[in-house]
Amino acid sequence: MTPVLEIRDLSVDYGQGEGAVHAVSSVNLVLNRGEVLGLAGESGSGKSTLAYAMTRLLPPPGLITGGEVLHHGRDKPEPVDVLGLTPKQLRSFRWNDIAIVFQGAMNSLNPVSTVAAQLEDIYRAHRPEMSRAQRTKRSAELLRLVGISADRLGSYPHQLSGGMRQRVMIAMALALDPEIIIMDEPTTALDVVMQRQILEQMMRLREELGFSVLFITHDISLLVEFSDRIAIMYAGRIVEQAASEDMYRASSHPYSKGLLGSFPALHGPRRPLTGIPGSPPDMRTVPSGCPFHPRCPSAFDVCEREIPVLEKLSGANGDSSRSVACWLNTPSLSGHPGVGAT
Ligand code: SF4
């Protein structure tokens, strides 16, 4: 697997000085070429902040306080740090190399421009050499690619259904054939049938066009089905990373277990939903030690004092594709054989 985007020690604060809120703390994450990486966590866990920071779309008072975001471009010999790009380079990086599908298509599309005008705008800005006929032809192709008839090019967003608007957003994201697509809760506002249709179509397009996807959602059951790997965030930190199947069959971190127990199983026998007691922490006053300890059914004395670091776990077959930040993996501290041990 070769990386296409590598996040190293990325930290983001809201505000400055003593009152600063540490929304993202030293996050390391790798998106490999051609894979779907899921990022899950409750509201306020920092997942969208992370996406905005890595694309330099973070609005004030958000502030990147450390780290690197390395883009390994397909035709570039060396990785480029996105955080060091000039405004001109950044303009080209967005859309050409990375595109985002946001949650609310109605808020993201221009309500007074037709679909054609909004698609063609991308080509006018990034492919000025294209003729008007070429722009129109390509826009029609893009709409067909996402399952919308080309005769809707003249429609305004309010004349389209919610599902069609979200597909237009996907068409816009695909316009310049980017290597990476970030989907930030792309189907949360849609009904479950439309949600499934759109995600299935997105995965077909991924197979066809070969882009990588960072799929952000609070719904871990969707990630189990549609991602290759899953990373779980809590209070601004990654607390577990594993292949989707491993996460589903045997998640290690108590928070991951809680998330998985909060959604109905897509396959297999029915089971009662367990949920997670309590609420996500107020990020202005994050609990000491492991931030999950006030809600954790397995917490013990050290959890309240020390922050666990994300460490690789060796599975039964010796692989180390799973990383977990939990003191239960330190048997000398917990007296527990380790959550990875089965
Ligand atoms: Fe629970 Fe302690 Fe593990 Fe945190 S470190 S998840 S509190 S057992």
Side-chain angles (χ1 to χ4, degrees):
M1 281 258 178
T2 47
V4 63
L5 198 72
E6 223 178 320
I7 298 167
R8 290 189 186 163
D9 264 336
L10 190 67
S11 295
V12 180
D13 284 359
Y14 285 108
Q16 291 180 357
E18 283 195 0
V21 170
H22 306 301
V24 172
S25 301
S26 298
V27 164
N28 289 289
L29 207 58
V30 175
L31 176 64
N32 292 309
R33 199 164 283 283
E35 81 168 344
V36 179
L37 172 63
L39 186 59
E42 292 164 291
S43 298
S45 59
K47 47 195 197 312
S48 292
T49 298
L50 180 66
Y52 288 122
M54 74 172 79
T55 47
R56 303 257 309 268
L57 284 169
L58 194 66
L63 202 65
I64 297 170
T65 54
E68 291 178 308
V69 179
L70 300 179
H71 173 229
H72 299 259
R74 55 192 142 198
D75 305 320
K76 300 184 183 116
E78 294 294 328
V80 173
D81 187 359
V82 177
L83 303 186
L85 295 179
T86 62
K88 189 171 171 219
Q89 290 169 325
L90 200 53
R91 208 167 118 81
S92 162
F93 172 68
R94 296 190 195 130
W95 294 101
N96 274 310
D97 296 313
I98 194 164
I100 307 188
V101 180
F102 292 105
Q103 182 182 144
M106 200 56 196
N107 301 333
S108 306
L109 292 170
N110 185 339
V112 295
S113 288
T114 62
V115 170
Q118 297 187 57
L119 282 166
E120 289 183 28
D121 255 4
I122 301 169
Y123 293 115
R124 258 193 293 272
H126 291 270
R127 299 281 189 275
E129 71 283 1
M130 283 175 81
S131 67
R132 186 174 180 186
Q134 285 172 320
R135 288 198 302 264
T136 307
K137 182 166 174 264
R138 182 69 187 132
S139 300
E141 283 170 5
L142 279 171
L143 273 201
R144 280 194 290 267
L145 200 62
V146 297
I148 300 179
S149 162
D151 58 18
R152 302 310 296 258
L153 274 172
S155 301
Y156 289 88
H158 74 269
Q159 295 173 314
L160 304 174
S161 67
M164 284 169 111
R165 287 196 289 264
Q166 207 60 32
R167 285 172 202 262
V168 169
M169 290 295 295
I170 293 170
M172 290 175 76
L174 296 174
L176 300 184
D177 189 21
E179 292 180 289
I180 304 161
I181 296 195
I182 297 179
M183 303 200 300
D184 185 10
E185 305 267 10
T187 55
T188 302
L190 304 176
D191 64 69
V192 285
V193 176
M194 187 54 64
Q195 183 178 60
R196 171 159 293 275
Q197 281 177 8
I198 288 183
L199 290 177
E200 283 175 351
Q201 186 168 44
M202 193 70 187
M203 296 311 143
R204 277 198 298 276
L205 289 170
R206 196 260 309 213
E207 296 270 312
E208 207 176 301
L209 305 174
F211 50 82
S212 312
V213 178
L214 178 64
F215 181 6
I216 299 170
T217 177
H218 63 279
D219 185 345
I220 194 171
S221 63
L222 281 180
L223 296 185
V224 167
E225 195 170 356
F226 290 104
S227 338
D228 300 306
R229 285 187 304 128
I230 298 177
I232 309 280
M233 274 190 97
Y234 188 77
R237 296 172 187 275
I238 303 285
V239 295
E240 182 166 5
Q241 275 191 64
S244 297
E245 200 175 332
D246 294 346
M247 187 71 84
Y248 179 64
R249 295 200 185 288
S251 55
S252 288
H253 196 281
Y255 179 60
S256 314
K257 290 179 202 267
L259 271 188
L260 280 159
S262 305
F263 289 93
L266 294 168
H267 307 287
R270 289 186 184 188
R271 54 173 170 73
L273 300 184
T274 49
I276 306 173
S279 311
D282 179 340
M283 292 302 284
R284 291 168 301 181
T285 51
V286 178
S288 60
C290 171
F292 187 56
H293 83 259
R295 306 172 72 190
C296 180
S298 309
F300 56 104
D301 52 358
V302 74
C303 303
E304 202 176 329
R305 298 194 309 270
E306 308 278 344
I307 301 177
V309 288
L310 193 66
E311 282 184 328
K312 289 203 163 180
L313 281 192
S314 293
N317 54 3
D319 75 87
S320 59
S321 57
R322 183 195 292 273
S323 313
V324 184
C326 175
W327 289 123
L328 290 176
N329 293 307
T330 310
S332 59
L333 286 175
S334 62
H336 186 282
V339 270
T342 50

